[in-house]
Amino acid sequence: MFDQFKVASDLMKNMTPDQLSGLMKQAEASKKEIENLVRKIIDEEIRKRNLISREDAEKIFVKK
């Protein structure tokens, strides 16, 4: 893992600010995609196993 960080660091040293900005935008987009995928899988498992979601539990136990 440390080697991967070193390689990434070496690659970024030679990048222009515009390239770094583009790379950061790609990373943010990838992060959002991964978050959405994880959320979808969790929602599917909640439905499949007939579990209660956090939101549902909060509606039941927390009075607003």
Side-chain angles (χ1 to χ4, degrees), residues 35-62:
E35 287 173 351
N36 289 337
L37 180 62
V38 169
R39 187 171 313 278
K40 180 181 174 185
I41 291 170
I42 289 171
D43 289 342
E44 287 175 7
E45 286 298 316
I46 287 172
R47 280 193 303 275
K48 193 186 311 180
R49 297 172 189 231
N50 200 26
L51 301 172
I52 185 169
S53 69
R54 180 184 182 128
E55 292 82 18
D56 293 337
E58 287 176 348
K59 288 178 188 174
I60 294 169
F61 296 110
V62 178

Side-chain angles (χ1 to χ4, degrees), residues 3-6 8-10 12-15 17 21-23 29 36-39 41 43 48 52-53 55 57 62 64:
D3 292 335
Q4 292 173 341
F5 286 126
K6 183 167 177 24
S9 176
D10 290 341
M12 288 189 296
K13 285 180 187 176
N14 299 324
M15 293 179 119
S21 177
L23 187 62
N36 289 337
L37 180 62
V38 169
R39 187 171 313 278
I41 291 170
D43 289 342
K48 193 186 311 180
I52 185 169
S53 69
E55 292 82 18
V62 178
K64 295 181 181 180

Side-chain angles (χ1 to χ4, degrees), residues 26-38:
Q26 281 181 327
E28 288 175 19
S30 294
K31 180 183 172 199
K32 287 180 184 178
E33 288 178 23
I34 291 170
E35 287 173 351
N36 289 337
L37 180 62
V38 169

